[in-house]
mmCIF file of all heavy atoms in Angstrom:
data_model
loop_
_atom_site.group_PDB
_atom_site.id
_atom_site.type_symbol
_atom_site.label_atom_id
_atom_site.label_comp_id
_atom_site.label_asym_id
_atom_site.label_seq_id
_atom_site.Cartn_x
_atom_site.Cartn_y
_atom_site.Cartn_z
ATOM 1 N N PHE A 1393 -25.429 -7.638 -1.203
ATOM 2 C CA PHE A 1393 -25.136 -6.586 -0.225
ATOM 3 C C PHE A 1393 -23.819 -5.861 -0.512
ATOM 4 O O PHE A 1393 -23.555 -4.819 0.073
ATOM 5 C CB PHE A 1393 -25.069 -7.173 1.185
ATOM 6 C CG PHE A 1393 -26.379 -7.684 1.677
ATOM 7 C CD1 PHE A 1393 -26.599 -9.044 1.804
ATOM 8 C CD2 PHE A 1393 -27.408 -6.818 2.010
ATOM 9 C CE1 PHE A 1393 -27.812 -9.524 2.260
ATOM 10 C CE2 PHE A 1393 -28.635 -7.296 2.459
ATOM 11 C CZ PHE A 1393 -28.826 -8.649 2.589
ATOM 12 N N LEU A 1394 -22.998 -6.428 -1.376
ATOM 13 C CA LEU A 1394 -21.649 -5.905 -1.568
ATOM 14 C C LEU A 1394 -21.446 -5.177 -2.882
ATOM 15 O O LEU A 1394 -20.642 -4.271 -2.981
ATOM 16 C CB LEU A 1394 -20.645 -7.059 -1.485
ATOM 17 C CG LEU A 1394 -20.764 -7.943 -0.241
ATOM 18 C CD1 LEU A 1394 -19.809 -9.113 -0.345
ATOM 19 C CD2 LEU A 1394 -20.519 -7.143 1.012
ATOM 20 N N ASP A 1395 -22.141 -5.600 -3.916
ATOM 21 C CA ASP A 1395 -21.950 -5.063 -5.255
ATOM 22 C C ASP A 1395 -22.796 -3.809 -5.438
ATOM 23 O O ASP A 1395 -24.012 -3.863 -5.284
ATOM 24 C CB ASP A 1395 -22.338 -6.119 -6.285
ATOM 25 C CG ASP A 1395 -22.030 -5.710 -7.707
ATOM 26 O OD1 ASP A 1395 -21.647 -4.554 -7.936
ATOM 27 O OD2 ASP A 1395 -22.174 -6.565 -8.598
ATOM 28 N N PRO A 1396 -22.183 -2.671 -5.786
ATOM 29 C CA PRO A 1396 -22.964 -1.448 -5.967
ATOM 30 C C PRO A 1396 -24.011 -1.540 -7.077
ATOM 31 O O PRO A 1396 -24.963 -0.794 -7.090
ATOM 32 C CB PRO A 1396 -21.916 -0.388 -6.321
ATOM 33 C CG PRO A 1396 -20.621 -0.959 -5.911
ATOM 34 C CD PRO A 1396 -20.758 -2.449 -5.945
ATOM 35 N N ALA A 1397 -23.844 -2.468 -8.018
ATOM 36 C CA ALA A 1397 -24.810 -2.606 -9.122
ATOM 37 C C ALA A 1397 -25.194 -4.073 -9.300
ATOM 38 O O ALA A 1397 -24.920 -4.668 -10.328
ATOM 39 C CB ALA A 1397 -24.211 -2.042 -10.403
ATOM 40 N N PRO A 1398 -25.824 -4.673 -8.291
ATOM 41 C CA PRO A 1398 -26.131 -6.101 -8.409
ATOM 42 C C PRO A 1398 -27.397 -6.342 -9.221
ATOM 43 O O PRO A 1398 -28.139 -5.424 -9.536
ATOM 44 C CB PRO A 1398 -26.372 -6.506 -6.966
ATOM 45 C CG PRO A 1398 -27.047 -5.310 -6.395
ATOM 46 C CD PRO A 1398 -26.315 -4.131 -7.049
ATOM 47 N N VAL A 1399 -27.621 -7.606 -9.499
ATOM 48 C CA VAL A 1399 -28.885 -8.021 -10.081
ATOM 49 C C VAL A 1399 -29.954 -7.740 -9.034
ATOM 50 O O VAL A 1399 -29.726 -7.909 -7.841
ATOM 51 C CB VAL A 1399 -28.831 -9.534 -10.405
ATOM 52 C CG1 VAL A 1399 -30.164 -10.043 -10.877
ATOM 53 C CG2 VAL A 1399 -27.740 -9.808 -11.423
ATOM 54 N N SER A 1400 -31.111 -7.302 -9.470
ATOM 55 C CA SER A 1400 -32.156 -6.947 -8.511
ATOM 56 C C SER A 1400 -32.559 -8.140 -7.654
ATOM 57 O O SER A 1400 -32.416 -9.294 -8.055
ATOM 58 C CB SER A 1400 -33.387 -6.403 -9.240
ATOM 59 O OG SER A 1400 -34.095 -7.460 -9.863
ATOM 60 N N ALA A 1401 -33.076 -7.844 -6.493
ATOM 61 C CA ALA A 1401 -33.518 -8.892 -5.572
ATOM 62 C C ALA A 1401 -34.598 -9.741 -6.226
ATOM 63 O O ALA A 1401 -34.614 -10.961 -6.080
ATOM 64 C CB ALA A 1401 -34.038 -8.273 -4.278
ATOM 65 N N LYS A 1402 -35.495 -9.112 -6.955
ATOM 66 C CA LYS A 1402 -36.583 -9.851 -7.590
ATOM 67 C C LYS A 1402 -36.034 -10.860 -8.594
ATOM 68 O O LYS A 1402 -36.475 -12.003 -8.642
ATOM 69 C CB LYS A 1402 -37.552 -8.891 -8.272
ATOM 70 C CG LYS A 1402 -38.784 -9.548 -8.808
ATOM 71 C CD LYS A 1402 -39.796 -8.524 -9.272
ATOM 72 C CE LYS A 1402 -41.100 -9.198 -9.618
ATOM 73 N NZ LYS A 1402 -42.135 -8.234 -9.921
ATOM 74 N N VAL A 1403 -35.052 -10.454 -9.384
ATOM 75 C CA VAL A 1403 -34.457 -11.359 -10.364
ATOM 76 C C VAL A 1403 -33.725 -12.497 -9.650
ATOM 77 O O VAL A 1403 -33.787 -13.651 -10.075
ATOM 78 C CB VAL A 1403 -33.522 -10.599 -11.332
ATOM 79 C CG1 VAL A 1403 -32.704 -11.555 -12.182
ATOM 80 C CG2 VAL A 1403 -34.336 -9.659 -12.209
ATOM 81 N N GLN A 1404 -33.046 -12.190 -8.556
ATOM 82 C CA GLN A 1404 -32.350 -13.250 -7.818
ATOM 83 C C GLN A 1404 -33.338 -14.258 -7.247
ATOM 84 O O GLN A 1404 -33.098 -15.464 -7.287
ATOM 85 C CB GLN A 1404 -31.484 -12.655 -6.713
ATOM 86 C CG GLN A 1404 -30.256 -11.959 -7.263
ATOM 87 C CD GLN A 1404 -29.257 -11.636 -6.178
ATOM 88 O OE1 GLN A 1404 -29.202 -12.276 -5.153
ATOM 89 N NE2 GLN A 1404 -28.440 -10.635 -6.425
ATOM 90 N N VAL A 1405 -34.459 -13.779 -6.729
ATOM 91 C CA VAL A 1405 -35.476 -14.689 -6.193
ATOM 92 C C VAL A 1405 -36.067 -15.525 -7.326
ATOM 93 O O VAL A 1405 -36.267 -16.739 -7.179
ATOM 94 C CB VAL A 1405 -36.572 -13.907 -5.433
ATOM 95 C CG1 VAL A 1405 -37.750 -14.795 -5.085
ATOM 96 C CG2 VAL A 1405 -35.983 -13.289 -4.166
ATOM 97 N N MET A 1406 -36.313 -14.902 -8.472
ATOM 98 C CA MET A 1406 -36.837 -15.646 -9.621
ATOM 99 C C MET A 1406 -35.850 -16.725 -10.057
ATOM 100 O O MET A 1406 -36.242 -17.855 -10.360
ATOM 101 C CB MET A 1406 -37.129 -14.692 -10.776
ATOM 102 C CG MET A 1406 -38.321 -13.790 -10.542
ATOM 103 S SD MET A 1406 -38.505 -12.451 -11.756
ATOM 104 C CE MET A 1406 -38.608 -13.352 -13.277
ATOM 105 N N THR A 1407 -34.576 -16.383 -10.077
ATOM 106 C CA THR A 1407 -33.549 -17.338 -10.476
ATOM 107 C C THR A 1407 -33.530 -18.538 -9.528
ATOM 108 O O THR A 1407 -33.476 -19.688 -9.966
ATOM 109 C CB THR A 1407 -32.165 -16.670 -10.506
ATOM 110 O OG1 THR A 1407 -32.204 -15.597 -11.445
ATOM 111 C CG2 THR A 1407 -31.072 -17.644 -10.881
ATOM 112 N N ARG A 1408 -33.593 -18.266 -8.234
ATOM 113 C CA ARG A 1408 -33.613 -19.374 -7.267
ATOM 114 C C ARG A 1408 -34.845 -20.233 -7.452
ATOM 115 O O ARG A 1408 -34.789 -21.449 -7.298
ATOM 116 C CB ARG A 1408 -33.545 -18.832 -5.848
ATOM 117 C CG ARG A 1408 -32.229 -18.154 -5.582
ATOM 118 C CD ARG A 1408 -31.637 -18.602 -4.326
ATOM 119 N NE ARG A 1408 -30.344 -17.941 -4.210
ATOM 120 C CZ ARG A 1408 -29.607 -18.027 -3.164
ATOM 121 N NH1 ARG A 1408 -29.994 -18.739 -2.150
ATOM 122 N NH2 ARG A 1408 -28.446 -17.428 -3.113
#
Side-chain angles (χ1 to χ4, degrees):
F1393 293 109
L1394 308 175
D1395 186 352
V1399 174
S1400 75
K1402 187 171 188 173
V1403 169
Q1404 288 192 26
V1405 170
M1406 289 169 58
T1407 300
R1408 294 228 177 174

